[in-house]
Amino acid sequence: MIRIAQALRRRREEMSLTVRALASRSGVSSSMISDVERAAKSPTISTLAALSEALEMPLSALVESREPARLRVVKAAERQWLVESGTGAKRDRFVPTVAGSEVEFLRYVVPPRTLSGPFPAHAPGTIEHVYLVAGAVRVTLGNDIADLQAGDSCSCYADLPHGFDNRDGKTPAELIIVVEPPRASMSDRARRLERGQ
C-alpha cells in the first residue's frame, strides 16, 4: 500500500496537480485521495482505475508489485492517447518514468490542416527537444519559426508561447518531444528525493 501511495503522490506532483484538481479530474473525493497518499486507506480497484486514468498512467503501474525500481516498462496495449478537443491533436505521454526523473517524454500527432497551439510558456529555463518522425511541421516559438521535415529535429528554450503548425500539411505530423525542466528545479527535486521527501 505504501508503494501505491508513493506512486500516486509522485505522479500527481509530476503533473503539478493539487489533491483538489486530481479529485475533479478523477471523480474520487479529495479526502479519499489524501488518505490513499498517506497510506491511511486501502483503495479499491475501481478507485485506482479512476486515479490512474486521471494521472495518465496505466493501472498496472499501481497494482503490480514486482515492477523493478530501476526499470519501468509500459506495453503498447497500455498506452492511452489523449485527444485535444479543439484541434484533434493526439498526445501519448511515455509514463510512468523511473523514480526521480523530471523529464517529460511524449509522442504528439498534429492532424493535417491543423494549428496546434500556441501553448503557454513553460517556466524560464525549460528546454524542449523535438524530433519529427513523419510529415512536415512548422515549429513556432514566439517570433521564431523552424520548418521541419521528417527526420529533422530542433531544441529550444520553451519559455515563450509555442506551437506546431500543420495547416499546409496533407498528412499528420508525428513528433517525439522531450521536455527538460529548469536545472534549478531538477536539483531541488533531486535533493528532496535524497532526503526521502
Side-chain angles (χ1 to χ4, degrees), residues 84 87 108 115-121 140-142 160-165:
E84 296 174 2
T87 63
Y108 193 71
L115 172 64
S116 185
F119 302 107
T140 60
L141 175 71
L160 292 172
H162 53 286
F164 304 104
D165 187 346

Side-chain angles (χ1 to χ4, degrees), residues 104-108 128-130 164 175-179:
E104 184 179 5
F105 182 32
L106 59 108
R107 180 169 46 163
Y108 193 71
E128 280 195 11
H129 307 278
V130 178
F164 304 104
L175 306 99
I176 299 294
I177 304 171
V178 176
V179 183

Side-chain angles (χ1 to χ4, degrees), residues 14-66:
E14 286 173 358
M15 295 180 70
S16 301
L17 292 174
T18 63
V19 170
R20 185 171 290 169
L22 178 56
S24 175
R25 285 176 67 139
S26 67
V28 176
S29 72
S30 296
S31 61
M32 174 57 95
I33 293 169
S34 180
D35 287 342
V36 171
E37 286 190 355
R38 289 183 292 112
K41 282 191 181 173
S42 182
T44 64
I45 289 293
S46 61
T47 297
L48 285 178
L51 290 171
S52 68
E53 184 174 338
L55 292 169
E56 303 168 13
M57 63 191 301
L59 178 59
S60 62
L62 295 175
V63 296
E64 290 177 2
S65 60
R66 297 176 193 243

Side-chain angles (χ1 to χ4, degrees), residues 83-117:
V83 180
E84 296 174 2
S85 59
T87 63
K90 298 191 316 184
R91 181 183 307 257
D92 178 14
R93 299 181 71 215
F94 298 128
V95 293
T97 57
V98 293
S101 173
E102 297 298 331
V103 173
E104 184 179 5
F105 182 32
L106 59 108
R107 180 169 46 163
Y108 193 71
V109 179
V110 184
R113 298 173 186 76
T114 300
L115 172 64
S116 185

